[in-house]
Amino acid sequence: MNQANHQNIIDFILDNVAQLCKKPREELFADTLLAAVGVDSLYAVLLCGKIEDEFELEIEPIVMFQYKTAKQVADAIVRMNEIK
């Protein structure tokens, strides 16, 4: 997964968080705390399903809480993908 894909993951996460949490996308950044804008366990499951479908990979919802921001989640996804 290259740098462009890393940014694509961040953007995808933030676009979907904005939609799920009904927040303006322009107020969400790579370092925004996901829980602070309303990502709870239900949204984490939904978001992980969307990430899996979009990027054709598996991700457990716990990742959304182990890593607090879209950038951290994207970093973890890149690392997981490199291991495979």
Side-chain angles (χ1 to χ4, degrees):
M1 202 171 284
N2 61 31
Q3 183 63 29
N5 287 340
H6 183 260
Q7 187 59 49
N8 289 345
I9 295 169
I10 292 171
D11 290 337
F12 184 83
I13 291 169
L14 294 176
D15 290 346
N16 281 278
V17 167
Q19 182 182 26
L20 289 169
C21 298
K22 298 179 178 28
K23 301 286 183 189
R25 172 60 178 91
E26 59 273 5
E27 292 180 9
L28 302 176
F29 304 97
D31 61 350
T32 298
L33 295 175
L34 298 175
V37 294
V39 175
D40 59 13
S41 58
L42 174 61
Y43 288 161
V45 170
L46 293 172
L47 192 55
C48 286
K50 289 176 182 245
I51 292 169
E52 289 177 343
D53 291 345
E54 180 71 15
F55 297 102
E56 299 177 353
L57 52 85
E58 289 186 34
I59 177 174
E60 294 296 323
I62 191 70
V63 169
M64 304 306 292
F65 299 104
Q66 290 174 323
Y67 304 98
K68 309 292 187 197
T69 68
K71 182 185 180 317
Q72 291 173 349
V73 172
D75 290 346
I77 291 170
V78 169
R79 281 193 306 276
M80 286 184 268
N81 194 53
E82 288 173 351
I83 292 171
K84 291 184 177 185

